[in-house]
């Protein structure tokens, strides 16, 4: 495998020239080969045109044929494992075992969508038969099903070079819906992006699909991304990253002559509430469990716990001491980029400089290397100082303890939108948990009991998304098969002759889908 | 029934004072009693607070209890028929028969949602059971279901004083989802709004629900609406009206610290494509059918046909002549308001003043009274002049004829997003229709064959919404039971003990819902 450092415009390579950049080895602190070339404006234009031209063929492809393509994509990704192991750990600082498991996750996402398409009922087919005898006016025959929105721009995330980047969940779900994808590579892992893009291109061409089904654009700056979000052929945007970045894309998309949805997943502080009986029963185990979650991937997960709210009383001191001890013993590890490490250092320094925080874990972060940080604050400060509930991306958490049971709900109600909230409970805490659950369910996408928020299962029931600012639109998940619904819209066919209907809506139900027929869900 | 001219802030009446306005009889050209008082800022605040406080109770209400409330609302609306007949025709210029049928439609919307809630499966419950033995990490138990977004602001439409106004489809669907509603009355029918608001208040109180489940605000200007859209307690907005109005709300909502979705339904020109065989076979019948659709409700429907694209050749002259004759013979009728009639006159005058249009139906509109307008244009002008594809709200259409079959697809691909597109076909047109359908399905929410776009059936399969600018977000319908999905979002529960789960997610499936369990849709 030879990395060329050039965009993929459909089946062709982009041209060199324009701004360039390189990957960077955060562990060694040095630039990596090759040099990557920003896509030219005419290449952005061409990628968009190809995507648009691919739409009538790709969007109309029978679901089961799209499933074959997704399977092929999964295979092509897995076949590139050696290439990923050669470049991804180097350009991300992540260990090879993590890359292997993340590759499996990326391929699994494509396969889960393939299975969803094979079954086919995700299109939510609805049929209301005509009632010609109805008075005063006859009722027409009405049938609706979901169809692809159109070309989607996907912005790769820095922190999941495989599972949320070029061939990640946004791309898999958009392709599954029948939307061509133009991926904008994250500059933190260009070689990984190039290899993933080649795998997808291979799958597109092997399945005889129009080349515009997938393109990959590199950019040293922000121009390519902006041009994509503004382009009239783009109908939706997927993004994982910072709140500032997501919000900028949301505003760009909202200001278009024809506004489009942006699905931005922007992170969260993932509060953990340790209820009194649980704290008394297993303070050390809770500290171990939470420290492990905080340290996972150097805390570079949008689900990393950043706020721990504990009861006072029994177990309280033990928990805090053990948590501080475990975090204090953790070695400095390279973060994904020096920029991310610098923002982590700045965030930690800001918290350390406040009069209302007590730092529990000391340690200096240097270059791309970061050491965990832990702070304690009083409840009143937490409830009144917005800076204490802002995310510091990395292994950094704040511990606050509540004085009475009702304070848990006060904290919960005070929080901004979150991806997750966790309750640590024993049977004796259930009454309190029952009070807290509806408050939390109003503020978050996923509520966990006795688990850790890191580790986002890819499945039908997953909700990875929450009220703003966790996501741009908390009505959608970015992970799991539900993510396909971001990129589809219903179209209704009224009195259309059977032969002209898409097969999912034909009277004989040739695809054997579950359909809502005259209000009743049925199959066959 | 005594109309008081005051807002409803939960169970209480608003205070007089501040800006006032009155209803207006467009047929007689005179102001109506009583005087309506704008809601004060502190009343907006109070309505929002009450709505927020109602959320934990109303949102957590078992689906079947919400169904009882919706049934009660339907009954209360129907019980007010005499009151509506006393005021609505007068303040809208619409005939009593239309008001009766629209009241039936409004009540029917509440009842359809009640039935949806009784069945209950709309919450899209998904369960993925734990796999504790899975390696390397065990899989947790994950369950998700839809929950209400939170308080919704609904802006009543001018053109459906009952079915899309205070107690219209947006209100019914938001309440069905479990979201309290604050309705902003359209000033064109304040007495109708007041009566509808009282009916909803009666249902809220009769069911023992928190008063904040529903409020109704009057406003002489735009301050109340703006304050609502900006209020942190409001989580979504429903709107039916002009593109300018909808876009303004979209931008206001996108600029909030916490952006919220706006579901704006902004109208459309609803192109009708008359294919060659159909035109040759039944030119007069087509002219009659389309004239009737154009004249319905003085053309004051977002689905009124505004563009007719016909083949040339046989039937062409007959069709055009008959259409012009039927429209020319129609009497002047009052539009909803003098403002709407004035904008109609301006739109018609703008088209008449263009060098590239030929006016086929003359006639002068005066005061609130409007006469239909019909224009003919050349295909090239239609494809190059954006002004020719802008909506003129009212009975106004443009006829263009194509020179060759391929031109139909050119027109279809050229159009902005539309609520509907109609194909008039005979068997000989099916091949051409098959080519056109996918192009149209990409641009519209509903494709009809041999029908008229006016008359939007309330049912599960209806899609009333289309790509921007037809709607703010073409992924959602404003009519039919699918409209509930605008106001709900999924929440996931991970490893939550069964007793703490909402009943729709409990293992025993006590509500007997259809649920996706380990990837398989099943019941019981």
């Amino acid at each position: 495998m030879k990395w060329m450092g050039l965009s993929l415009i459909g089946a062709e390579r982009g041209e060199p020239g324009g701004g360039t950049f390189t990957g960077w080895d955060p562990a060694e602190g040095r630039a990596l080969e090759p040099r990557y070339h920003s896509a030219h404006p005419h290449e952005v234009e061409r990628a968009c045109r190809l995507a648009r031209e691919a739409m009538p063929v790709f969007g109309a492809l029978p679901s089961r044929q799209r499933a074959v393509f997704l399977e092929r994509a999964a295979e092509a990704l897995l076949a590139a494992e050696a290439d990923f192991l050669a470049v991804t750990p180097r350009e991300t600082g992540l260990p090879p075992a993590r890359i292997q498991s993340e590759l499996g996750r990326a391929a699994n996402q494509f396969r889960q969508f393939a299975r969803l398409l094979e079954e086919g009922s995700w299109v939510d087919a609805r049929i209301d038969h005509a009632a010609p005898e109805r008075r005063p006016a006859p009722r027409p025959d009405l049938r609706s099903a979901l169809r692809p929105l159109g070309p989607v721009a996907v912005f790769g995330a820095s922190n999941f070079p495989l599972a949320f980047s070029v061939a990640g969940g946004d791309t898999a779900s958009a392709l599954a819906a029948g939307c061509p994808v133009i991926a904008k590579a994250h500059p933190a892992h260009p070689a990984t992006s190039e290899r993933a893009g080649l795998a997808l291109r291979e799958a597109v061409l092997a399945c005889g699909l129009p080349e515009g089904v997938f393109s990959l654009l590199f950019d040293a700056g922000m121009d390519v991304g902006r041009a994509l979000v503004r382009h009239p052929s783009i109908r939706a945007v997927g993004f994982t990253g910072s709140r500032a970045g997501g919000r900028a894309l949301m505003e760009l998309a909202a200001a278009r002559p024809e506004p489009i949805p942006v699905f931005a997943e922007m992170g969260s502080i993932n509060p953990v509430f340790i209820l009194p009986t649980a704290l008394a029963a297993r303070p050390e185990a809770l500290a171990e469990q939470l420290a492990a979650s905080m340290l996972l991937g150097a805390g570079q997960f949008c689900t990393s716990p950043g706020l721990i709210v504990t009861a006072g009383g029994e177990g309280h001191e033990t928990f805090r001491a053990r948590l501080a001890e475990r975090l204090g013993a953790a070695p400095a590890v390279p973060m994904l980029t020096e920029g991310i490490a610098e923002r982590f250092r700045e965030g930690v320094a800001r918290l350390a400089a406040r009069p209302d925080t007590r730092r529990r874990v000391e340690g200096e972060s240097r270059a791309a290397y970061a050491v965990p940080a832990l702070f304690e604050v009083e409840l009143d400060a937490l409830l009144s100082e917005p800076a204490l509930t802002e995310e510091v991306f990395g292994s950094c958490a704040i511990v606050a303890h509540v004085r009475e049971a009702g304070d848990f709900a006060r904290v919960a109600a005070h929080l901004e939108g979150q991806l997750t909230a966790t309750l640590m409970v024993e049977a004796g805490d259930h009454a309190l948990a029952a009070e807290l659950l509806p408050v939390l369910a109003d503020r978050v996408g996923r509520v966990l009991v006795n688990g850790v928020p890191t580790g986002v299962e890819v499945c039908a029931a997953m909700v990875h998304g929450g009220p703003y600012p966790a996501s741009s639109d908390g009505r959608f998940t970015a992970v799991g098969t539900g993510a396909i619904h971001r990129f589809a819209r219903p179209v209704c066919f009224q009195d259309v002759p059977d032969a002209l209907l898409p097969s999912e809506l034909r009277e004989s139900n040739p695809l054997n889908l579950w359909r809502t027929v005259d209000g009743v869900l049925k199959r066959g």
Side-chain angles (χ1 to χ4, degrees), chain A:
Chain A
M1 167 69 198
K2 176 165 163 39
W3 278 263
M4 293 178 67
L6 299 170
S7 297
L8 294 169
I9 317 298
E12 291 174 19
R13 283 290 189 165
E15 297 162 13
T20 65
F21 67 103
T22 67
W24 182 264
D25 181 337
E28 303 285 335
R30 61 182 180 83
L32 295 167
E33 291 288 324
R35 186 153 284 280
Y36 278 80
H37 297 260
S38 301
H40 297 269
H42 70 88
E43 291 172 342
V44 176
E45 195 59 44
R46 181 169 152 79
C48 290
R49 184 169 57 73
L50 290 176
R52 192 183 166 84
E53 288 171 3
M55 206 36 227
V57 175
F58 188 57
L61 209 63
S63 227
R64 282 158 204 182
Q65 285 185 41
R66 276 215 303 280
V68 171
F69 161 59
L70 297 181
E71 277 290 349
R72 187 75 189 233
E75 283 163 26
L77 285 167
L78 291 173
E81 182 177 19
D83 289 339
F84 290 123
L85 287 173
V87 297
T88 314
R90 228 173 31 175
E91 63 183 5
T92 62
L94 296 170
R98 153 75 188 271
I99 298 309
Q100 281 174 305
S101 81
E102 201 183 314
L103 179 60
R105 182 188 178 96
N108 176 42
Q109 290 181 140
F110 278 88
R111 290 192 161 146
Q112 284 205 17
F113 283 113
R115 289 198 287 278
L116 190 78
L117 297 189
E118 280 158 11
E119 196 282 325
S121 302
W122 76 277
V123 296
D124 189 20
R126 297 166 177 229
I127 297 176
D128 289 304
H129 284 105
E133 73 294 346
R134 194 186 61 176
R135 295 290 168 269
R139 188 171 79 176
D141 181 275
L142 289 153
R143 294 163 190 248
S144 70
L146 294 174
R147 297 173 65 96
L149 267 192
V152 173
V154 170
F155 289 75
S158 64
N159 62 336
F160 275 96
L162 293 163
F164 283 94
S165 190
V166 170
D170 286 347
T171 297
S173 53
L175 291 172
C179 300
V181 166
I182 303 179
K184 153 74 175 62
H186 196 289
H189 50 264
T192 306
S193 298
E194 183 177 353
R195 188 61 190 87
L198 286 171
L200 291 181
R201 181 175 80 167
E202 179 190 325
V204 169
L205 301 180
C207 292
L209 297 175
E211 57 173 329
V213 166
F214 178 78
S215 288
L216 167 66
L217 305 178
F218 289 104
D219 191 18
M222 318 241 263
D223 290 349
V224 167
R226 286 203 194 100
L228 273 181
V229 175
R230 285 197 183 118
H231 199 283
S233 293
I234 296 295
R235 298 278 181 85
V237 176
F239 169 88
T240 305
S242 70
R243 189 192 304 193
R247 182 79 193 223
L249 293 185
M250 289 166 69
E251 288 177 359
L252 210 56
R256 286 168 50 118
E258 187 173 347
I260 55 174
V262 171
F263 302 103
E265 197 275 88
M266 298 175 286
S268 167
I269 58 169
N270 305 293
V272 177
F273 298 83
I274 306 182
L275 303 197
T277 316
L279 184 65
R282 45 187 164 102
E284 298 196 336
L286 286 167
E288 296 284 347
Q289 189 183 12
L290 289 173
S293 178
M294 280 181 66
L295 293 171
L296 202 67
Q300 298 167 113
F301 293 117
C302 41
T303 53
S304 190
L307 175 65
I308 300 166
V309 185
T310 75
E314 199 186 338
H316 178 223
E317 285 307 327
T318 311
F319 168 79
R320 294 199 299 182
R322 174 61 69 94
L323 181 62
E325 180 190 332
R326 279 283 278 114
L327 295 176
V333 288
M335 295 190 79
L336 291 155
T337 69
E338 292 197 349
I340 288 173
E342 191 178 321
R343 283 189 290 282
F344 174 74
R345 273 196 302 278
E346 288 167 0
V348 170
R350 265 198 309 277
L351 288 175
R354 295 181 62 93
D356 51 10
T357 60
R358 286 184 308 282
R359 188 160 184 181
R360 286 295 299 252
V361 176
E362 298 284 344
E364 200 183 343
S365 300
R366 285 202 317 191
Y369 284 75
V371 294
L374 186 69
F375 295 91
E376 291 176 5
V377 303
E378 294 302 319
L379 185 66
D380 292 340
L382 186 74
L383 291 174
S384 58
E385 294 292 329
L388 294 177
T389 49
E390 278 170 18
E391 184 186 19
V392 175
F393 189 70
S395 301
C396 174
I398 286 177
V399 179
H401 77 270
V402 305
R403 289 173 297 262
E404 49 190 37
D407 289 338
F408 283 109
R410 284 177 66 206
V411 175
H414 168 73
L415 293 168
E416 290 186 309
Q418 301 288 333
L419 291 169
T420 72
T422 301
L423 293 175
M424 299 296 194
V425 306
E426 292 282 332
D429 298 311
H430 278 201
L432 179 52
E435 281 173 36
L436 277 172
L437 269 165
V439 185
L440 290 172
D442 187 52
R443 302 311 295 144
V444 311
R446 177 166 56 115
V447 185
L448 305 82
V449 169
N450 291 340
V452 291
T454 46
V456 182
E457 191 67 28
V458 179
C459 63
M462 176 49 66
V463 177
H464 187 66
Y468 185 92
S471 310
S472 52
D473 188 341
R475 290 173 304 143
F476 296 91
T477 176
V479 174
T481 50
I484 195 171
H485 289 280
R486 299 177 296 172
F487 302 118
R489 70 180 180 91
V491 175
C492 176
F493 298 86
Q494 178 171 328
D495 287 335
V496 171
D498 204 65
L500 295 177
L501 284 169
S503 49
E504 58 266 34
L505 292 176
R506 290 200 183 145
E507 191 61 21
S508 65
N509 196 7
L511 303 179
N512 194 32
L513 307 181
W514 285 100
R515 311 194 292 189
T516 303
V517 181
D518 298 323
V520 177
L521 189 64
K522 57 169 74 163
R523 186 176 211 165

